[in-house]
Amino acid sequence: MAGSSLQASKPMNVKEISAKAEDFDFNPSIAIKYWLRTADTLLREARIYEQEDNDQQAFLLLMRYATLIAYKLPSHPLAREPENRAGLRAADKTLPFVLDQLELLKPRIEARYNSWQKAMERRREANTAIENDRLNSRSQIDLAATDPAVAGNPTTLGAAENSDLAVQLAHNEIRRRETKRRAIQQGSISAEGEKERRTAGQWGGWEAALSKGDQSHYDDEMRRNMEASRRRLDGPQDFAPGPGERRLPKPPRPARPFARDGNGEYRYPSIQKSQPLQYDDTFESSRTSSPGIKLPPKPPKERFEGPMHISPPSLPDKIPSENQDVSASKLPATNFTFRPSAYLENGNPLRTVFLPPTLRLRFLEVAESNTRNNLETCGMLCGTLISNALFISKLVIPEQESTSDTCETINESAFFDYCAAEDLMVLGWIHTHPTQTCFMSSRDLHTHCGYQIMMPESIAIVCAPSKTPAWGVFRLTDPPGMQSVLNCHKTGLFHPHEEPNVYTHALRPGHVCEAEGLKFDVVDLRPR
């Protein structure tokens, strides 16, 4: 197995990452509870990147989180409503910890950037031909430079040609995390005590707080906290951090990604956008070590006409470099970063999603009895983030009610309790079309939009066992698919979308890669 180094871009400094983090759309028509769930996702991913010493990406996610909580949500038109006040206050209490963590990351990011700058100066003084290091095209340099998860990383691997290594890394890391989690559960600290300790008793109860709506002293306290947080965000770069270095807290369980509002219309969080940062120089820097989803019913399937695949810009499978043997048994996950394997139509990177090749067949076995009776079946694709790639490790079958054209989950709290206990991320969903062809219906598109808003890499797998093709892996295009579905507020079961290219294939050459040998478990939460 050979590793390949991406030498195309320099590391980013704090100012550049901050500008990128703050560049996202905030839509005040979206309910506050959905923005809080988006914050959950940001904090969960930041925690993993921070544990893997990917300081740049952890900083970006934490800064975006702080901007959302400190600046955007207080300006929401419904922020002062009783049902929202306590939830916002619970989120606000996490800001001091997040700001402390940002300050701990800043010197490491700046030290790496300054080291790169000094090395470039030495190289210029020695009249070294920088062009010799330009191993990639200009477009590849620009793409890497705008992605803090990859920029400046000396060891970035292509997903497809290194899938065997990816599987080894995933098995080792998942086993390590499982061992740690079970040690906590079996040790002197109970699981609830660990959750309380890691969240400082402040963030995990925001959903319950939303329902309580406690208003006592809320306005004064919220105003003081917001002003203090804003001063810290807007203040000098060198203000003193909190005592000691701390790891990020484990975020609370996620909640339903979307739902209808009181008028029967669908509401989703807005899409994040970014502006490219351009660099003129290149350098191979050295890595320095650092001390319930209740889905709405789906209608009978609408026919989809028109092309379904748009080829996004992508990096080559391998970049010329000095090859070396790499082994997952010798090096931890933090020694590797999987570079994006595809890009959205707007140019934003998509992390690789590693999919077990046998998962679809196992799901069809679970769904067999329903399929025989012309009933749909759905399952949730769950997994984790490792080395800037997403690994599906669990197929979870939630409680559900089915018809020939619909499948609704019920008792979603059991599903989210399971995900929280296992520290799982929801990476997409899978469902059957017992008698129809393999395509995404209008209801499927609305369903999937809720997943892809939270995580752009989320996928939808459709299984049509009686037809050809028998299955497909899809995502919404962005643009125009995401915008078309986000702006669609039709409530009827049969409503076409005007855009012809609303969704596209996600399996390679998209961002989804089947990884032979990748282990997964099937967890059936349906009552026996």
Side-chain angles (χ1 to χ4, degrees), residues 25-91:
D25 287 341
F26 178 75
N27 188 339
S29 66
I30 303 302
I32 285 178
K33 62 181 179 180
Y34 299 118
W35 285 116
L36 290 174
R37 290 164 189 165
T38 300
D40 291 351
T41 302
L42 293 173
L43 197 59
R44 182 182 297 274
E45 294 186 67
R47 178 172 60 88
I48 295 176
Y49 278 113
E50 189 267 346
Q51 290 172 345
E52 293 183 346
D53 295 326
N54 192 327
D55 298 335
Q56 294 187 145
Q57 188 69 358
F59 187 92
L60 180 142
L61 295 171
L62 288 174
M63 178 61 74
R64 184 165 290 171
Y65 174 93
T67 301
L68 177 62
I69 300 300
Y71 288 96
K72 303 298 185 180
L73 289 184
S75 67
H76 195 284
L78 299 179
R80 297 175 63 85
E81 293 296 318
E83 64 270 19
N84 293 326
R85 290 182 173 184
L88 287 173
R89 181 170 56 186

Side-chain angles (χ1 to χ4, degrees), residues 94-141:
T94 66
L95 281 174
F97 176 89
V98 170
L99 295 176
D100 284 350
Q101 195 66 24
L102 284 169
E103 285 308 305
L104 290 168
L105 292 173
K106 281 180 181 178
R108 302 210 293 258
I109 292 172
E110 291 299 330
R112 185 186 188 195
Y113 181 81
N114 292 336
S115 176
W116 183 91
Q117 293 276 45
K118 292 178 181 179
M120 286 297 295
E121 288 299 326
R122 290 195 300 269
R123 175 168 288 199
R124 290 191 184 98
E125 292 172 0
N127 295 320
T128 303
I130 296 179
E131 287 299 321
N132 292 338
D133 291 324
R134 296 184 185 272
L135 302 178
N136 303 288
S137 70
R138 181 76 255 164
S139 62
Q140 294 159 8
I141 294 172

